[in-house]
Amino acid sequence: QLPAVAGTITLKNGTRIAIASLHLPHTKEAAPFREVLCGAIMEQLTSQNCDGIILTGDFNMRGFEDKTTEKLCGGKWKDAWKEATNTKTAKETKFTWNSRVNMYHGPENFQWTCRLDRCYVKSEKGTLKHFDLIGNQ
C-alpha cells in the first residue's frame, strides 16, 4: 500500500507516459522511510515500460534528500525545478511552502519557507522546458 495515485497515458503518436502523485510523511526524521516509499513508487512506475515518467506531489523532502532520491531506481530522475528554471525564475518558484506570501496557517503563526514538494521526470525521449508554481498565482 503505497501513498500514491498513478496512471498511464498513451499519446496519439504511441508515446506512453506514466504519471503519479504522492504524499509522503512530513517529519525530518521520516527521511529514511520517505526514501523507501519513493523507491517503491518509482519501481512501480518504471515497471510500466513507458517512454517517460512524471512523479509529482508532496514529497515533504528536505534539500539533503535530493541527490539520494534522484539516484533511486536506476537514477536519471530529473527535478523539474532544477532542470527547467533559470536564475530569474528559480527564486520565484523555489518555495512550495511560503507562509510569508501565502498565509496557509494564519498570519499570527511562525512564517517560513521550504521546498517540500517536487516534480521528478525520467525520460530518454523528452526534455523539460518549463516549471512553475501555479498555486501562487
Side-chain angles (χ1 to χ4, degrees), residues 81-134:
W81 177 75
K82 292 178 186 177
E83 290 286 315
T85 56
N86 58 45
T87 53
K88 181 182 176 187
T89 60
K91 187 175 182 181
E92 298 166 7
T93 61
K94 181 174 184 177
F95 302 118
T96 58
W97 179 277
N98 186 346
S99 59
R100 293 179 182 140
V101 175
N102 294 318
M103 301 300 169
Y104 300 113
H105 53 93
E108 69 283 353
N109 292 313
F110 178 70
Q111 296 178 6
W112 57 284
T113 58
C114 192
R115 191 168 78 95
L116 298 172
D117 307 282
R118 301 287 194 281
C119 180
Y120 285 105
V121 177
K122 186 173 186 175
S123 175
E124 299 292 329
K125 296 183 177 184
T127 304
L128 287 163
K129 300 233 182 217
H130 180 75
F131 176 85
D132 204 352
L133 294 177
I134 61 173

Side-chain angles (χ1 to χ4, degrees), residues 18-20 22 38-47 50 52-56 59 61 65-83 118-124 128:
I19 185 166
L22 57 71
C38 197
I41 293 166
M42 289 174 164
E43 186 67 41
Q44 287 288 319
L45 294 170
T46 302
S47 73
C50 289
I53 303 168
I54 300 169
L55 177 58
T56 189
F59 283 72
M61 287 176 26
E65 297 173 77
D66 282 354
K67 288 184 182 181
T68 301
T69 302
E70 291 163 12
K71 293 177 183 176
L72 290 172
C73 195
K76 298 183 181 179
W77 291 93
K78 306 281 186 187
D79 182 328
W81 177 75
K82 292 178 186 177
E83 290 286 315
R118 301 287 194 281
C119 180
Y120 285 105
V121 177
K122 186 173 186 175
S123 175
E124 299 292 329
L128 287 163

Side-chain angles (χ1 to χ4, degrees), residues 27-39:
T27 64
K28 183 179 179 180
E29 297 75 26
F33 188 44
R34 279 193 295 275
E35 181 181 342
V36 169
L37 291 171
C38 197

